[in-house]
Amino acid sequence: MIRASLLGLAVSAAAGCAHSPIEEKTVSWNQETAYEGSTKLGGCTVGDLDPDRPGQEIAVVAGNGDVILVFLDQGEWQSETVDHLPGEMIQCAAGNLLPDHPGDELITVGIAQGGEDDGGPGSAWVFFKTSSGWQRQKAFEDSALLHAVCMGPPGTAFVAGYSHKVHRLERGPDGWAAGWSADLAGPAKGAAWSQDGLAICDANGRLNIFDEGGQAIPHRAAFPAPQARIARDGARVLVCDNGGDLRLLNSPTSIPEVIHHESDRLRGAVFADLLAESPGLECATAGYRGDVTLVYRHSKGEWHAEPVGHDSDRFHHLATGVLPGRGISLVGCGYSGRVTVVSRRR
């Protein structure tokens, strides 16, 4: 059994990335340690990955190649190892990759063998649970580390990495294949898809924008620091970087606005409807300072940031989803080996 620690954090919260700010509200937050291991956790995601369990679960990938499912069972956090891979996985995503399979599937990306810095090919793996247990399929191998992944339209996912290419993956009658591939401006670090297209941030400080067919969309967004994590909400793009900036773009071609800054690297970019009092979505980030931070527009029109969670070491990724008994939550993981869940106190 994983011990859960509770942390109530009162924050003044108003409208987030929404266009219509509201008056200040006082919101109280719970922080829980849902999982604690002995190695760095690279990425996390939330989805309905176990058809035998009600609600959604958390999946995380570890530096030692472990793929772990974290879930609530009768109100207590539990975990199981889904698989152990020969290479370190960096990020993961959950969604509908196999329409004929109930629930969601998990896709992970990283290095084929060894650790992230060892070099060599990158790999992508798909996991799903059947009546006979967890199944694993190798979906793709690239010439270099795969670092970014996101779900696309139903039945597809996008993966990208240090080969300076993005690939759209889907499973056909002969197995998994790249439906199309396109060139990037630099090594990919994060990917996000919405109905308006695909956005990828890279280590050269640029955004790479594509339509669903793989055609590059011209834009002017270029930043002074390597970009790290990215999210899309329709046309809007949220991206964070090694310089500690969290930027919001109303469209990929609009002027970016720095809505939050920290003194160390950021590793989280999330849109989430965390405040029922506010119309639209709020923004959230996490980073090397060890904070999970909610960013929202104050009633006076100014951006405001409030820490809602904290870990003793650096965060490497931040995700969001609806968890049983917790509602819409923020899920972070990183160098401490912990999975941190932040949700509104009920």
Side-chain angles (χ1 to χ4, degrees):
M1 180 185 300
I2 301 298
R3 291 182 302 158
S5 61
L6 298 181
L7 172 65
L9 296 171
V11 301
S12 296
C17 296
H19 295 291
S20 302
I22 63 170
E23 294 302 317
E24 294 183 28
K25 303 290 182 182
T26 299
V27 178
S28 184
W29 300 89
N30 278 341
Q31 174 177 316
E32 302 171 83
T33 298
Y35 171 84
E36 185 166 2
S38 58
T39 189
K40 168 196 168 187
L41 301 175
C44 54
T45 188
V46 179
D48 183 13
L49 295 164
D50 188 342
D52 299 327
R53 297 186 182 279
Q56 296 188 320
E57 300 84 32
I58 301 166
V60 291
V61 290
N64 63 359
D66 283 347
V67 179
I68 302 159
L69 191 75
V70 181
F71 53 90
L72 282 159
D73 186 359
Q74 297 182 355
E76 299 288 338
W77 289 107
Q78 308 285 351
S79 66
E80 66 173 291
T81 300
V82 172
D83 210 331
H84 177 78
L85 296 171
E88 178 181 359
M89 295 290 104
I90 307 300
Q91 292 189 46
C92 55
N96 183 19
L97 277 175
L98 303 173
D100 58 344
H101 177 260
D104 293 329
E105 291 73 50
L106 177 71
I107 182 169
T108 70
V109 293
I111 199 78
Q113 296 279 343
E116 177 182 2
D117 299 325
D118 290 345
S123 61
W125 298 87
V126 171
F127 300 88
F128 55 96
K129 192 173 186 181
T130 68
S131 58
S132 57
W134 287 100
Q135 308 298 312
R136 179 179 81 181
Q137 296 178 350
K138 193 167 189 177
F140 189 71
E141 187 166 295
D142 203 359
S143 60
L145 171 75
L146 286 170
H147 196 285
V149 62
C150 68
M151 291 295 172
T156 69
F158 296 101
V159 299
Y162 283 27
S163 68
H164 295 208
K165 288 186 177 293
V166 56
H167 311 274
R168 172 177 159 144
L169 303 185
E170 50 196 321
R171 194 174 76 167
D174 298 322
W176 293 95
W180 57 258
S181 300
D183 294 331
L184 301 171
K189 302 292 284 188
W193 181 87
S194 77
Q195 68 273 17
D196 284 5
L198 175 68
I200 295 177
C201 61
D202 70 40
N204 287 357
R206 299 197 66 88
L207 295 183
N208 304 262
I209 310 297
F210 301 91
D211 63 21
E212 189 177 333
Q215 295 299 309
I217 299 173
H219 61 94
R220 62 188 181 191
F223 309 114
Q227 303 300 288
R229 301 291 182 268
I230 192 167
R232 289 207 75 171
D233 170 37
R236 294 189 302 166
V237 177
L238 184 70
V239 63
C240 69
D241 62 31
N242 285 8
D245 287 332
L246 181 69
R247 290 182 173 89
L248 178 66
L249 295 83
N250 288 322
S251 75
T253 58
S254 66
I255 298 174
E257 180 183 7
V258 176
I259 63 173
H260 176 60
H261 174 77
E262 294 186 10
S263 58
D264 212 334
R265 301 182 181 195
L266 291 178
R267 288 294 181 266
V270 166
F271 288 113
D273 189 8
L274 291 162
L275 300 173
E277 301 86 352
S278 162
L281 305 179
E282 290 71 54
C283 305
T285 189
Y288 276 21
R289 201 168 67 181
D291 290 333
V292 177
T293 303
L294 179 69
V295 184
Y296 55 89
R297 199 181 289 277
H298 192 273
S299 58
K300 297 179 181 178
E302 301 172 350
W303 288 102
H304 187 66
E306 290 283 353
V308 294
H310 184 77
D311 197 4
S312 61
D313 209 336
R314 297 163 289 173
F315 279 105
H316 196 260
H317 200 73
L318 186 69
T320 187
V322 180
L323 296 171
R326 305 300 191 270
I328 299 173
S329 304
L330 295 171
V331 179
C333 67
Y335 287 82
S336 70
R338 301 184 190 98
V339 174
T340 300
V341 176
V342 177
S343 57
R344 289 188 63 163
R345 188 182 296 277
R346 290 171 173 262

